[in-house]
């Protein structure tokens, strides 16, 4: 699942750019999901007086509204992008307005000073209103999603990649870089996504079907914990695959 | 995680009953989640014109709206109760208006004929408006959530249990009953939730694709060894499935 973010001030053409990208990706037969970051304090999707809102007021911690054609799961907290991404199983996940995540970014703007403010070293493209009047900014292409979505999505296909783990450098650094530095280098073509060693190791863990990432150190602990038990059993061989499925249950 | 449903016609006191139950459960220090089944065709939580609604119109298959204090994950399909439950990690999950799931049910009503219509063999209690004027219906207690929520929640604590797998009888029948029949018998005190052999304590181990049998004692050791590590990771939930695949290699 490739992930990227579109960032820019209000009225810079952010949502319009995303709509065009979604339509073009769908035309290319990809599945697409989105995450919208909402930057006003009072945001509540549910409306006062609805039954689900009453559940919330009464103290429910997680609320789901299930209709005939949709199921809305309302977490009463701000979840991290990795946790959110774990619910998705699509080809492209587009983040709108998410600027604090280490993913390739498109900046939308309607004037040059706004590019400057939104720009960071994970930006790979300029779009939005300003792309109607300029083609390039400091060597990066500026492409309008209205006029040339095909070229825009070509670059997205080429540049974007799977979410990096976003570990603190002090905890990992297994590839030799911080995640941000690796992201930057991948975008420049100096490194590949595969240079990140997390998740490609020898052990994968899923909880309710969702992959849980582990730093190499934790992978090793889990592996040793399992081998400590399994290694004593009849039928154990010291090489090959080990698969474990378990049902976890509090009231066990 | 114990699960039950509150069913009844509109204006029977369903949401009011649930609000009281939530408050009482919270008072008893339990964590609570809810699922509301919405029975009108046009239900859409998101409003026309919002950015996330525009993502949906453009073709996004799964959309998240993330604010400062909540994260709303909008699946564009009706999910099953087991799938929904897998997102929850609470002590009590209350379903509102979900009648097609094999869980203990409270029927709310404001007249006897409505009880008759909503009643099925998984019902264990009557509540709602009618509980103001009667105490019992065919041997089942009728308890008002307004007047006597303490007694109501005592019975919920006693009677409800974790979600049964809801397998087709043709596929399982391992306990000797269908899931519905087992549910009914648990509510009558003739059987226990633990009589369902699926789930609880269930762990399978394969080495190179071959199932390694383990006595319950060893199963428990392996399970605890895994939980000891996995339980500390972000993304862990205390119920649901855990799957581990590992490549074992002497020269690792």
């Amino acid at each position: 699942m490739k992930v990227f973010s579109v960032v820019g001030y209000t009225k810079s053409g952010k949502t319009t750019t995303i709509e065009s990208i979604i339509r073009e990706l769908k035309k290319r037969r990809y599945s697409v999901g989105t995450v919208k970051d909402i930057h006003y304090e009072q945001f509540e999707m549910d409306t006062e007086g609805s039954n689900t809102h009453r559940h919330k007021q009464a103290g429910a911690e997680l609320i789901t509204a299930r209709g005939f054609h949709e199921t809305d799961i309302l977490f009463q907290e701000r979840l991290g992008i990795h946790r959110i991404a774990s619910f998705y199983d699509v080809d492209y996940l587009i983040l709108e307005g998410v600027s604090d995540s280490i993913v390739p970014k498109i900046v939308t703007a309607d004037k040059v000073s706004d590019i400057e403010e939104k720009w960071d070293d994970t930006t790979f493209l300029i779009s939005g209103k300003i792309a109607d009047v300029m083609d390039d900014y400091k060597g990066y292409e500026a492409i309008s999603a209205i006029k040339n979505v095909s070229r825009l999505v070509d670059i997205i296909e080429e540049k974007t990649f799977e979410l990096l783990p976003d570990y603190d450098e002090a905890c990992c650094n297994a590839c030799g870089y911080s995640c941000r530095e690796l992201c930057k280098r991948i975008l420049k073509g100096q490194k590949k996504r595969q240079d990140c060693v997390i998740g490609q190791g020898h052990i994968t863990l899923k909880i309710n079907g969702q992959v849980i990432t582990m730093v190499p150190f934790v992978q090793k602990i889990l592996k040793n914990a399992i081998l400590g038990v399994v290694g004593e059993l009849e039928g154990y061989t010291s090489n090959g695959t080990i698969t474990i499925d378990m049902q976890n249950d509090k009231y066990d």
Side-chain angles (χ1 to χ4, degrees), chain A residues 69-113:
Chain A
H69 310 294
E70 66 177 65
T71 305
D72 307 316
I73 305 195
L74 314 177
F75 289 87
Q76 302 305 304
E77 60 186 313
R78 182 177 175 85
L79 301 182
I81 289 299
H82 278 77
R83 177 80 193 283
I84 294 171
S86 75
F87 298 117
Y88 283 77
D89 180 21
V90 291
D91 298 314
Y92 283 90
L93 174 56
I94 307 174
L95 314 180
E96 177 169 350
V98 176
S99 54
D100 59 349
S101 216
I102 297 175
V103 295
K105 290 180 192 69
I106 295 172
V107 169
T108 56
D110 70 352
K111 53 183 192 283
V112 171
S113 60

Side-chain angles (χ1 to χ4, degrees), chain A residues 1-246:
Chain A
M1 184 169 77
K2 293 179 167 190
V3 186
F4 63 96
S5 188
V6 180
V7 299
Y9 289 111
T10 310
K11 308 281 176 202
S12 62
K14 201 164 47 185
T15 309
T16 304
T17 299
I18 289 174
E19 285 176 309
S20 300
I21 293 170
I22 295 170
R23 292 208 168 89
E24 179 67 18
L25 285 169
K26 297 293 291 182
K27 220 170 88 185
R28 298 185 188 191
R29 320 290 292 167
Y30 291 116
S31 56
V32 182
T34 62
V35 177
K36 162 79 189 166
D37 233 352
I38 292 159
H39 300 120
Y40 63 96
E41 184 69 29
Q42 291 76 19
F43 170 70
E44 267 190 322
M45 177 158 288
D46 205 359
T47 45
E48 184 113 19
S50 73
N51 291 344
T52 41
H53 198 271
R54 286 169 64 187
H55 295 178
K56 175 178 165 175
Q57 294 299 327
E61 280 141 76
L62 176 54
I63 297 146
T64 296
R66 181 172 74 156
F68 292 120
H69 310 294
E70 66 177 65
T71 305
D72 307 316
I73 305 195
L74 314 177
F75 289 87
Q76 302 305 304
E77 60 186 313
R78 182 177 175 85
L79 301 182
I81 289 299
H82 278 77
R83 177 80 193 283
I84 294 171
S86 75
F87 298 117
Y88 283 77
D89 180 21
V90 291
D91 298 314
Y92 283 90
L93 174 56
I94 307 174
L95 314 180
E96 177 169 350
V98 176
S99 54
D100 59 349
S101 216
I102 297 175
V103 295
K105 290 180 192 69
I106 295 172
V107 169
T108 56
D110 70 352
K111 53 183 192 283
V112 171
S113 60
D114 288 353
I115 303 182
E116 299 278 357
E117 279 168 44
K118 290 290 180 180
W119 185 271
D120 76 17
D121 52 8
T122 58
T123 305
F124 69 102
L125 198 72
I126 311 299
S127 190
K129 291 178 182 166
I130 205 162
D132 292 336
V133 295
M134 61 189 273
D135 295 331
D136 144 324
Y137 171 79
K138 292 188 179 175
Y140 291 86
E141 282 191 73
I143 305 173
S144 161
I146 308 289
K147 292 185 184 163
N148 199 0
V149 71
S150 170
R151 171 81 190 137
L152 183 63
V153 171
D154 285 349
I155 299 180
I156 289 169
E157 278 189 313
E158 182 201 326
K159 292 280 189 182
T160 62
F161 49 84
E162 254 177 76
L163 210 50
L164 288 167
D166 201 358
Y167 285 148
D168 191 293
E169 203 179 344
C171 299
C172 183
N173 199 38
C175 67
Y177 304 103
S178 66
C179 292
R180 172 172 288 276
E181 186 63 27
L182 183 63
C183 177
K184 211 170 106 181
R185 286 173 187 249
I186 296 169
L187 287 171
K188 283 186 177 159
Q190 297 163 348
K191 286 280 162 190
K192 294 207 164 78
R193 175 63 182 82
Q194 299 93 289
D195 290 320
C196 171
V197 302
I198 304 300
Q200 305 180 353
H202 299 287
I203 183 160
T204 58
L205 166 67
K206 288 182 188 174
I207 296 185
N208 293 324
Q210 291 159 16
V211 174
I212 307 294
T213 55
M214 297 177 284
V215 295
F217 163 70
V218 174
Q219 290 180 23
K220 220 159 194 171
I221 293 174
L222 181 57
K223 201 165 163 177
N224 288 336
I226 291 168
L227 289 178
V229 181
V230 171
E232 299 304 315
L233 301 179
E234 211 185 308
Y236 171 76
T237 55
S238 66
N239 56 64
T241 58
I242 296 178
T243 311
I244 296 169
D245 278 294
M246 63 185 261

